[in-house]
Amino acid sequence: MKYHVKSLKLADQGKKRILWADGDMPVLSQVREKFAKTKPFKGLRMSACLHMTAETANLARTVKAGGADLLLCASNPLSTQDDVTASLVRDFKIPVFAICGEDRKTYYSHLKAAVDHQPHITMDDGCDLVNVLHTKRRKEAANIIGSMEETTTGVIRLRAMEKNNQLLFPVIAVNDAATKNLFDNRYGTGQSTMDGIIRATDFLLAGKRVVIAGYGWCGRGCAMRANGMGANVIVTEIDPIKALEAAMDGFLVMPMEQAAPVGDLFVTLTGNKHVIRPEHFRKMKDGAIVCNSGHFDIELDLVGLKKIAKNSRRQVRNFVDEFTLSNNHRIFVLAEGRLVNLAAAEGHPASVMDMSFSTQALASEFVVKNKGKLATRVHDVPQAIENKVANLKLKSMGLKVDKLTPVQVEYLSSSTEGT
Ligand code: ADE
């Protein structure tokens, strides 16, 4: 078996972490037990370009139990947990191509390995694998039955491809499932982003001014958690509806230009480029901390920051780089502007990834069952899968919901009853 991981010597620790995470992924465990019996992926090759975490390892075990010939590669150069990849190779016999801190060339060589695997099904987190299949490796794209996309940024890229008639195979927007974004994007990103910032800096949130750029589900989660820890939250937005929502959720709303001089900590979660630029860095207080929790490392204009800094980057702590500007104000950038929650912490907790990855696994089964029947476009996750995941999660939490009475069913289906 070919693979490229940091060191198999790390596998003992990785295995413990995978099994620990599994204890908090009861829905995925049930899907795995079912797949082990039904083998929905028998005879099929699968390549998955995801964050290489303990939670992903449990998804990998699940599709492998379903008969898939699976290969994994990283969806971000800094999010790989090297102990986990070691255990995946040694203990679970799953080939992995991912090393934490890999350079761009290695990152793309790992994506190449994922395409060389000649997959029938792909899973992506950010659309890099699908992008390679659509640009450099179109021959291999012909074998693909369908692909799953895990994150907002990836779905944006895919919808653009669909609009431009470039898409070569059907894709399921797992990110857009309620069982994914309402929980993973909101509670997962909210908690893990604060976790990454605190682990990197030991920052006290209480009493600080925290600027959250972007009020999508991830931004909402971060604002909620920063607020819960006593920060004064400021939201910046470009969308008037989201801005209003932030205001009525109790946060200050203002443009980045106004937020820059008052913020102590800045977190970008917009999915867009250059959200914090030199004109903003120049206005910041001495000691301002800046980080990103959006998918790509483009939200902070770090090239621009380097141009206006007096010094070259100085690492003052793990995951913290200091830049001093001509006004002698120091700006601290976390995790090189990459996803702070996955680089400086462990990503979202297993309990919430349980829902995202059960949705992923069941969406993959759906794609295989509907081979040749799905149009070449971006599809939503079927409602039946969402309901299944939600019901199993509720059950695992010991929670029950009410049932409609016959009178209520009738009321909902009639239009005659009024005032
Ligand atoms: N994305 C965010 N958190 C994650 C995790 N723990 N595992 C995989 N992907 C993630």
Side-chain angles (χ1 to χ4, degrees):
M1 181 172 99
K2 280 195 192 151
Y3 59 87
H4 192 200
V5 299
K6 184 148 188 211
S7 164
L8 291 190
K9 289 195 189 120
L10 302 169
D12 286 345
Q13 173 69 20
K15 187 172 181 190
K16 283 186 195 152
R17 289 184 53 209
I18 293 169
L19 298 181
W20 174 258
D22 199 41
D24 247 347
M25 304 181 89
V27 180
L28 192 62
S29 303
Q30 285 179 63
V31 174
R32 190 180 313 134
E33 277 165 28
K34 189 191 99 179
F35 280 3
K37 290 188 198 123
T38 56
K39 300 279 177 202
F41 310 119
K42 193 162 170 243
L44 296 176
R45 286 184 298 276
M46 193 184 280
S47 292
C49 174
L50 299 168
H51 297 295
M52 291 296 115
T53 64
E55 293 73 31
T56 302
N58 287 315
L59 171 64
R61 293 171 61 201
T62 305
V63 294
K64 185 170 172 164
D69 173 359
L70 172 70
L71 182 146
L72 295 170
C73 71
S75 61
N76 184 295
L78 275 191
S79 59
T80 298
Q81 299 171 358
D82 290 319
D83 51 356
V84 165
T85 55
S87 173
L88 275 167
V89 170
R90 189 194 70 181
D91 305 315
F92 299 100
K93 310 290 173 240
I94 296 174
V96 185
F97 291 79
I99 296 178
C100 187
E102 63 196 15
D103 60 17
R104 197 180 149 77
K105 195 165 153 240
T106 314
Y107 179 79
Y108 274 96
S109 75
H110 289 163
L111 274 170
K112 181 177 174 299
V115 179
D116 289 346
H117 188 53
Q118 307 267 338
H120 301 102
I121 308 162
T122 63
M123 286 182 188
D124 233 336
D125 188 322
C127 193
D128 279 348
L129 180 54
V130 165
N131 189 42
V132 170
L133 283 162
H134 279 74
T135 49
K136 301 185 194 103
R137 304 287 295 269
R138 292 174 73 89
K139 198 164 101 346
E140 282 81 0
N143 299 331
I144 307 280
I145 301 171
S147 181
M148 265 53 61
E149 173 52 55
E150 170 75 8
T151 199
T152 314
T153 296
V155 173
I156 291 171
R157 291 173 92 185
L158 288 162
R159 291 208 192 278
M161 287 162 79
E162 178 184 354
K163 199 166 158 220
N164 300 330
N165 287 324
Q166 290 166 337
L167 212 53
L168 296 175
F169 44 77
V171 181
I172 310 283
V174 172
N175 175 74
D176 293 359
T179 45
K180 199 275 179 181
N181 65 55
L182 291 184
F183 304 93
D184 167 315
N185 296 23
R186 181 166 35 172
Y187 303 110
T189 308
Q191 179 167 320
S192 62
T193 300
M194 293 307 130
D195 185 14
I197 292 164
I198 293 167
R199 288 196 208 193
T201 60
D202 197 25
F203 185 80
L204 177 75
L205 283 143
K208 299 287 174 37
R209 290 198 181 126
V210 174
V211 180
I212 305 288
Y215 207 63
W217 287 118
C218 297
R220 288 179 181 117
C222 278
M224 183 174 34
R225 290 296 173 249
N227 180 53
M229 294 181 82
N232 298 302
V233 174
I234 298 170
V235 171
T236 70
E237 247 304 335
I238 48 101
D239 179 321
I241 313 254
K242 289 185 180 147
L244 267 178
E245 199 182 347
M248 295 202 191
D249 283 345
F251 304 127
L252 286 173
V253 175
M254 59 183 78
M256 186 57 81
E257 200 190 347
Q258 276 174 34
V262 292
D264 298 299
L265 167 69
F266 296 79
V267 190
T268 55
L269 309 102
T270 70
N272 211 337
K273 208 174 163 169
H274 294 181
V275 178
I276 304 188
R277 305 180 287 275
E279 72 247 39
H280 305 127
F281 289 123
R282 278 203 184 93
K283 290 193 170 144
M284 286 181 186
K285 294 198 264 192
D286 178 35
I289 298 174
V290 182
C291 64
N292 167 53
S293 217
H295 184 78
F296 286 120
D297 60 340
I298 49 166
E299 305 214 11
L300 310 175
D301 179 3
L302 294 183
V303 174
L305 174 62
K306 280 171 197 158
K307 278 193 194 139
I308 61 166
K310 282 203 305 195
N311 66 322
S312 53
R313 149 189 170 201
R314 190 169 82 92
Q315 194 184 15
V316 291
R317 203 178 140 100
N318 281 346
F319 303 111
V320 186
D321 290 332
E322 178 193 271
F323 294 88
T324 307
L325 306 191
S326 52
N327 58 6
N328 286 329
H329 286 188
R330 294 159 306 152
I331 310 287
F332 296 114
V333 176
L334 307 189
E336 300 168 28
R338 294 194 188 277
L339 285 159
V340 70
N341 61 335
L342 279 140
E346 294 173 64
H348 306 352
S351 176
V352 82
M353 293 313 294
D354 187 28
M355 296 178 70
S356 313
F357 282 164
S358 299
T359 308
Q360 271 279 6
L362 294 172
S364 310
E365 182 191 36
F366 168 80
V367 158
V368 172
K369 277 192 180 155
N370 289 280
K371 182 180 171 186
K373 290 191 215 144
L374 296 176
T376 301
R377 62 175 177 82
V378 181
H379 296 261
D380 286 335
V381 171
Q383 193 59 45
I385 293 183
E386 295 230 48
N387 290 349
K388 181 169 186 172
V389 171
N391 278 320
L392 287 173
K393 190 69 178 173
L394 277 171
K395 199 166 170 215
S396 77
M397 294 166 78
L399 304 174
K400 285 189 182 148
V401 292
D402 281 324
K403 282 205 176 78
L404 292 172
T405 64
V407 171
Q408 288 173 323
V409 172
E410 198 192 322
Y411 177 75
L412 290 178
S413 60
S414 85
S415 55
T416 49
E417 271 187 69
T419 313

